[in-house]
Each structure stands twice: as structure tokens, then as C-alpha cells.
Amino acid sequence: MKENRLSHSGEQRESGKQQVIDTIRAAGSIARIDISTATRVSPATVTAITAELIDVGLIEEIIPDVPRQDAKRGRPRVALKIRGNAHRIAGIKVSHRVISVVLLDFEGNDIVGHEMPLQQACMSVSLLCTEIMNALAQACGKGGFDVSTISGIGVGLAGLVDAKRNFVYWSSSLDERNVDFGAHLAQHTPCPIFIDNDANLVAKAEHLFGKGQNVSDFVVITIEHGVGMGIVINNEIYRGSRGCGAEFGHTKVQLEGALCQCGQRGCLEAYVGDYALLREANITNGGVGHRDLGQLVEAAQSGDQMACSIFDRAGRMFAMGLANVVNVFDPKLIILSGARLSFDYLYSEQVIQEMQRWVVQVDAPSPEVLVHSWGDLMWAKGAAAYAIEEVSALAIRELASSEK
């Protein structure tokens, strides 16, 4: 009984510290009394917690600049902020032909960004680990420091990922399934590693830095080589019980339909992903012709009927998928994100109107659909933001444990 009380007490201390540091991070800088108000934790407890966080170097005091006339009225309130130099964090996005790396300080400020081309899209576990570490080493070299100074690494992969276990069920970047990828990557670096589905990390980036700021419930749909989705519910990423939730690209739109890169048939991605569009175009052309999506888009713009019909069907399939997302989740906002959004065939006015036609009709407007086309470095920043949260939680856990 006594052990249970001690355990509960330790969890309360850890929760209190995490709540305080999260409040400071969200505010940027904030006075102790305002932390107390925001968290509903007593001023005395906030003072004690912040003193510990200062002692271990996670936060620091700043004295705000005040006009001279105000300074005469008394000592200005000291604010607290995250100490940027406390940790250096890496965020990595593995895409079809490039690895993107962003290095941030603990406060979330950019230090350096770097992109390294990949010679092949799908590879062995050992080779992908090597390539990730090569890209990280190049980024660190660009910044003038060593990989050993990194406190945590966030990695975003396309595919089915259990973030809690750093376990990859399937990824288009790997030539085998069911891989304890975190354990493999840990053999190459001494710092903690945090792996998640890349679309979840785009949702994280949108929530912190993009069009999802100050929105508690929204959906991000990513359109790259494949199609992904990240869901934010009540300001938290939804991952599902196995880490396989929100696999929008692998929702079924056709019984026994086109073959998807995941190995199943009839997935939305098999009609919308760039590889699927090129596959159909080249089968129709007898295997000769279009090497990339841009070339196929140019053909459609020039009036090629075959290309036009491929994009027309992709748009209608995508509209059906969007309508299903709205009917299931009823989000406040849908954000379409990814490099393929430089082409508008998936978010044309016609596609959005078709989506609205298939949404369950009620006497209220449909969710807003926004387009946010940003590069892989911003996806990597979402991975870094995830790693910052996890490194922060580890530091709080260690601090709480040392008090037992």
C-alpha cells in the first residue's frame, strides 16, 4: 500500500513538472504567476517546480525590457522560457528520393537544414540506417558540430509505424516488413530515437508552425509518392491502438481493384499516388512514355485525352476519399499538404465540389479545405518537434525519478 502511494506521488510530481514545462513552451515566455493561473497549480508549487527545472538547465529566467517610466514603479516580473542550449535535436524525413534533416535547439529554433539525395527509394534496413546517419552527419558538419552532441532524433517514415515501439510494420522505404527499426538505428547513435509515420509528423508541424495553429481538431492529408493522413483530436495526434490509424491512402475504394504498393488491392493510393498514375499511363501507352508526373500533367494540359481521363478519375477518387474523412471525423479543417500539390488535379474546384456533394448534408457549412505545399524540410521539422517533446518527457521523468 505504501509503495502504491509513493508511486502515485512520483507520477503526480512528474505530471506537474511536465504540465509546467509544456505551459512555458506554449507561451514562449511567461511569468510564474501566469503559469499558476494557466495550470491551476498553486504559486508555491510552481515556484518549487520551476526552481528544479532551472537547476537542471531545462528553463531559464529572462527579465523583460520595460520602458523607463514603468521601471520606476517597481521590479519587473521575471519571465521563464525554455533554455535553447539545453539540447540539440534532429528531425529527419525519409522520402522517396531524398533524406531531409533539420536541427533545432531545445526551444525549437532552427539551427541548420540539409537534404541528401538517395540513389534508391527502397532499401535494406542496414542501408537505410547508414543513409540516415550519413545525412545527419552531413547536417551536423554543416552546423559545425558533431553527431555526438545531438540529444534526440525524430524520424518520419511513410508506412505503418507503431510510434510507441519505434516499430515499422511496413514502409515503402524498406524492402522487408515488421522491423524493429528503432533498435537497428539505435546501434548507430547513442541518443534516443523516436520514429513515427511521416504524415503524423506533418500534422505535428502544421499544429505547431503551420495552418493548424490554434485549431484543436483537424486532418492533414499528405500527397507525395503515396497518400497519408495525420489526425489531430483535442490538440493531440491520433495514432490508433497499434499505430496503424489514419491510413487514408489504404482505405478501400474498389473491391479487388488496382494493386497498391502495400500489397493489397483497391486502396485509394493505388488510384491517386504518382506511381499509380504513371503505371496506368504507361500501361495504356504500351509501357513507353511518361517518366514522371510533371510530364503526365503537361500531356493533360496539352489535351491528351488519355492523360486527362487518368487525372479525372484520380480527382473523383480523391473527392470520394475526402468525403469519407468528413463523414467519419467531421473535422473543423482539412489541410492538403505535400510536394505533389504543385499540381492541382487533386484540389481543383471541381474536386472540392464533388467532395461536398458526397458529404452527409446538414444545415451547417462543410469543413474548410486549405492547401499548404511545403518542402521536406518542414516535414523534418515536424519530426524534430516530436523529438523535442519526447526528450523533454524523458528529462522530466529522470528528474522525478531522482527525487524518489
Side-chain angles (χ1 to χ4, degrees), residues 25 87-92 102 104-106 150-155 191-196 201 204 208 239 380-395:
R25 185 177 294 283
H87 294 285
R88 192 176 285 143
I89 305 294
I92 296 173
V102 167
L104 306 181
D105 68 15
F106 196 50
I150 301 296
S151 298
I153 302 171
V155 180
C191 71
I193 296 156
F194 312 99
I195 301 170
D196 202 352
L201 299 178
K204 174 71 70 179
L208 295 175
R239 293 184 172 88
K381 194 167 182 178
Y386 174 49
I388 284 175
E389 288 183 353
E390 295 300 312
V391 168
S392 177
L394 283 174

Side-chain angles (χ1 to χ4, degrees), residues 5-329:
R5 285 199 299 270
L6 288 172
S7 174
H8 180 65
S9 175
E11 289 173 3
Q12 283 184 316
R13 286 196 300 272
E14 182 178 328
S15 175
K17 290 178 175 64
Q18 189 66 59
Q19 195 177 9
V20 167
I21 203 167
D22 287 347
T23 301
I24 295 170
R25 185 177 294 283
S29 65
I30 186 171
R32 289 173 176 83
I33 188 63
D34 296 325
I35 296 173
S36 177
T37 301
T39 60
R40 297 183 180 178
V41 174
S42 73
T45 301
V46 167
T47 298
I49 289 174
T50 54
E52 291 180 81
L53 296 176
I54 289 171
D55 285 345
V56 296
L58 295 179
I59 64 173
E60 60 188 353
E61 291 184 331
I62 54 171
I63 299 176
D65 293 330
V66 295
R68 183 173 297 177
Q69 61 271 23
D70 292 343
K72 295 177 182 178
R73 298 174 187 170
R75 183 172 179 267
R77 287 197 303 181
V78 174
L80 298 167
K81 65 183 281 293
I82 300 296
R83 182 172 165 266
N85 290 335
H87 294 285
R88 192 176 285 143
I89 305 294
I92 296 173
K93 148 80 168 167
V94 180
S95 58
H96 192 53
R97 289 293 182 184
V98 67
I99 293 180
S100 304
V101 184
V102 167
L103 301 177
L104 306 181
D105 68 15
F106 196 50
E107 198 175 354
N109 299 311
D110 290 359
I111 300 173
V112 68
H114 178 69
E115 293 189 315
M116 186 188 83
L118 289 173
Q119 296 303 311
Q120 58 190 91
C122 183
M123 62 196 83
S124 68
V125 173
S126 60
L127 180 56
L128 183 55
C129 288
T130 299
E131 295 284 41
I132 286 173
M133 295 309 298
N134 286 341
L136 179 59
Q138 289 175 18
C140 288
K142 211 175 187 179
F145 44 81
D146 193 79
V147 172
S148 62
T149 66
I150 301 296
S151 298
I153 302 171
V155 180
L157 287 172
L160 305 176
V161 181
D162 184 344
K164 290 181 181 178
R165 297 191 296 143
N166 285 334
F167 191 88
V168 179
Y169 294 107
W170 169 82
S171 172
S172 55
S173 296
L174 291 170
D175 63 7
E176 61 182 284
R177 291 172 176 261
N178 300 316
V179 176
D180 190 352
F181 194 66
H184 285 280
L185 195 53
Q187 295 174 11
H188 297 259
T189 175
C191 71
I193 296 156
F194 312 99
I195 301 170
D196 202 352
N197 171 271
D198 58 356
N200 286 341
L201 299 178
V202 174
K204 174 71 70 179
E206 289 285 5
H207 199 213
L208 295 175
F209 317 116
K211 295 183 181 294
Q213 287 179 302
N214 303 315
V215 181
S216 61
D217 303 273
F218 66 92
V219 168
V220 174
I221 293 174
T222 60
I223 305 158
E224 293 281 307
H225 178 64
V227 180
M229 181 164 72
I231 303 172
V232 173
I233 300 175
N234 195 25
N235 295 304
E236 297 288 337
I237 300 291
Y238 174 77
R239 293 184 172 88
S241 61
R242 299 175 299 157
C244 301
E247 284 299 328
F248 178 60
H250 302 290
T251 54
K252 303 301 179 279
V253 294
Q254 180 68 52
L255 183 65
E256 299 299 332
L259 181 65
C260 179
Q261 63 177 348
C262 75
Q264 295 192 346
R265 291 187 174 274
C267 298
L268 175 65
E269 185 178 290
Y271 296 92
V272 172
D274 59 359
Y275 70 89
L277 302 180
L278 290 169
R279 176 180 62 194
E280 184 173 355
N282 291 328
I283 287 174
T284 305
N285 283 345
V288 180
H290 304 290
R291 294 184 303 275
D292 58 54
L293 196 61
Q295 195 178 58
L296 188 59
V297 169
E298 287 178 6
Q301 291 171 341
S302 300
D304 185 306
Q305 290 302 306
M306 179 272 295
C308 288
S309 69
I310 288 173
F311 286 121
D312 180 64
R313 185 176 72 163
R316 287 185 288 113
M317 287 290 195
F318 193 64
M320 181 194 306
L322 289 178
N324 288 337
V325 168
V326 175
N327 290 337
V328 171
F329 293 103

